[in-house]
Amino acid sequence: MTVLQWHAVDLGIAEMPEIRTLFAQVFGHSMSDALWRWKYDAGRGIATGTRDEQGRLLAHYGGTARALQINGVAVNAVQLGDVMVAAQARGILSRRGPFATAATAFLQHHIGSPGGYALGFGFPNQRHTRLGEKLGLYNALGNVQELSWTCEKTSTSLFFGADSHSTPLDWSDARTDNLLNGLWRALSQDARGFVIPRRDAPWWRHRFANHPEGPYRCWWVHGRWSRRLLGAIALRPGGQPGANWEILDLLGPTKHWHAMLCAARLLAQQGAADRLTGWFSDAVADIVRNQDLGSIAASQVACPHCVTRQRSPEWADVVTTQPWWLTGGDTDFR
């Protein structure tokens, strides 16, 4: 096998069986037909692959459309994901290897070109971040941190002091989308100095209500006495008693985040969780730490986040100089 015989190809629904086979080999678990369609079908996603001289799929580099808001302007971006290389080709890390062939073709064809996306961003692991930087594909922007809080039974009184209560979000209620959009508008005002992926009602519905496999649950958070809507939270419950619960997103003005985080921690406690965890980019983690939850958050680095070096000129600088607003719900794997 020589690098000259590897070539990039577009991948779509016709190649889904091959893609799912490669996914299982690389990640050790399967990708269902429904999950592939949730990510890529109906124009939501695009993918490029590398084939060898026998036509075997050696690498896959995918992305899903995701609107960003930058300084109040909507920007069409693509979120990178499902980056995978077959075991027999994983050690070939040259600029013309299987990974670089697929990634370079994807970025050149789909980002910064007429009719393409303005930029790409993603959450590669440490190894792929270093490789992407070495190959001139990515700029590492910073880290996503995992914060966590204990859910001791003895801390119940702290939550009642938050003057808030939560009710399950009803996706069939005709008012739900308008309420979510209102919370998004309020949050977007607080995040004007950030690069923030859009969090309107269609995205929340797609991410948390329509996910074919995610055990996500969403709640409204209201003032305990005023009954005024403060925000919405998206959680992933633990699979069994004692398992951690995870907060995926908080929607609403940051002045109400204390109440929203307290509500999330109380829900986790009521669900018999030992801890509540959440992923936040560095700058958002700082905002979260400033909320007094009655317990100091433990913190560790979860993963890097990056932006493609290939991007439209008008956004080339701002996406590396402004902080990014990211939570676990912005990934496609939490």
Side-chain angles (χ1 to χ4, degrees), residues 93-174:
L93 303 179
S94 72
R95 293 182 182 273
R96 301 177 68 188
F99 166 77
T101 297
T104 301
F106 181 100
L107 300 179
Q108 289 178 346
H109 294 165
H110 299 299
I111 297 179
S113 58
Y117 297 96
L119 58 105
F121 71 99
F123 305 87
N125 58 32
Q126 294 283 358
R127 179 174 178 271
H128 279 152
T129 299
R130 291 193 298 270
L131 177 59
E133 288 187 301
K134 179 181 178 181
L135 296 176
L137 303 176
Y138 305 151
N139 288 122
L141 297 174
N143 290 315
V144 175
Q145 300 180 34
E146 181 181 79
L147 305 183
S148 66
W149 300 266
T150 59
C151 294
E152 305 99 330
K153 296 294 184 182
T154 56
S155 61
T156 302
S157 60
L158 295 172
F159 301 105
F160 285 104
D163 290 335
S164 66
H165 78 286
S166 55
T167 56
L169 187 152
D170 181 358
W171 292 106
S172 66
D173 191 321

Side-chain angles (χ1 to χ4, degrees), residues 3 7 22 59 68 91 118 172 190 225 245 261 263 316 319 321 328:
V3 296
H7 59 282
L22 181 61
L68 305 178
S172 66
D190 287 351
W225 310 116
W245 280 41
L261 287 161
V319 296
T321 56

Side-chain angles (χ1 to χ4, degrees), residues 192-203:
R192 283 190 69 87
F194 289 76
V195 178
I196 179 170
R198 194 168 179 85
R199 290 159 148 72
D200 57 7
W203 186 82

Side-chain angles (χ1 to χ4, degrees), residues 151 159 165-168 217-221 233 235 237 245 260-273 276:
C151 294
F159 301 105
H165 78 286
S166 55
T167 56
R217 296 179 65 187
C218 300
W219 279 268
W220 302 116
V221 179
I233 51 177
L235 304 181
W245 280 41
M260 294 157 67
L261 287 161
C262 284
R265 194 168 165 211
L266 179 57
L267 287 163
Q269 183 196 88
Q270 293 171 342
L276 173 70

Side-chain angles (χ1 to χ4, degrees), residues 7-257:
H7 59 282
V9 294
D10 291 332
L11 300 174
I13 192 168
E15 292 77 31
M16 181 171 57
E18 291 180 277
I19 297 168
R20 290 172 57 196
T21 297
L22 181 61
F23 185 96
Q25 292 172 351
V26 171
F27 295 111
H29 59 91
S30 62
M31 173 192 284
S32 67
D33 177 284
L35 184 58
W36 185 93
R37 291 179 183 276
W38 179 81
K39 291 184 179 185
Y40 295 101
D41 205 7
R44 283 185 292 272
I46 49 178
T48 301
T50 302
R51 293 195 184 277
D52 65 10
E53 67 272 24
Q54 281 82 42
R56 294 174 297 190
L57 186 64
L58 296 180
H60 176 281
Y61 195 95
T64 54
R66 187 76 196 276
L68 305 178
Q69 185 163 297
I70 307 175
N71 297 331
V73 178
V75 177
N76 290 325
V78 62
Q79 183 170 337
L80 310 174
D82 297 326
V83 177
M84 43 193 174
V85 181
Q88 66 268 31
R90 204 166 296 160
I92 306 169
L93 303 179
S94 72
R95 293 182 182 273
R96 301 177 68 188
F99 166 77
T101 297
T104 301
F106 181 100
L107 300 179
Q108 289 178 346
H109 294 165
H110 299 299
I111 297 179
S113 58
Y117 297 96
L119 58 105
F121 71 99
F123 305 87
N125 58 32
Q126 294 283 358
R127 179 174 178 271
H128 279 152
T129 299
R130 291 193 298 270
L131 177 59
E133 288 187 301
K134 179 181 178 181
L135 296 176
L137 303 176
Y138 305 151
N139 288 122
L141 297 174
N143 290 315
V144 175
Q145 300 180 34
E146 181 181 79
L147 305 183
S148 66
W149 300 266
T150 59
C151 294
E152 305 99 330
K153 296 294 184 182
T154 56
S155 61
T156 302
S157 60
L158 295 172
F159 301 105
F160 285 104
D163 290 335
S164 66
H165 78 286
S166 55
T167 56
L169 187 152
D170 181 358
W171 292 106
S172 66
D173 191 321
R175 299 167 295 179
T176 292
D177 283 6
N178 284 338
L179 292 173
L180 289 173
N181 283 332
L183 293 172
W184 157 242
R185 287 191 295 270
L187 175 61
S188 65
Q189 289 300 310
D190 287 351
R192 283 190 69 87
F194 289 76
V195 178
I196 179 170
R198 194 168 179 85
R199 290 159 148 72
D200 57 7
W203 186 82
W204 254 57
R205 186 176 290 274
H206 175 71
R207 179 65 176 88
F208 300 118
N210 296 341
H211 194 288
E213 298 175 2
Y216 306 117
R217 296 179 65 187
C218 300
W219 279 268
W220 302 116
V221 179
H222 296 267
R224 178 172 297 279
W225 310 116
S226 68
R227 303 297 178 180
R228 183 165 59 96
L229 179 63
L230 304 180
I233 51 177
L235 304 181
R236 185 172 69 172
Q240 58 188 7
N244 293 344
W245 280 41
E246 182 174 2
I247 184 163
L248 276 298
D249 209 1
L250 302 96
L251 192 62
T254 55
K255 66 182 180 181
H256 296 319
W257 273 27

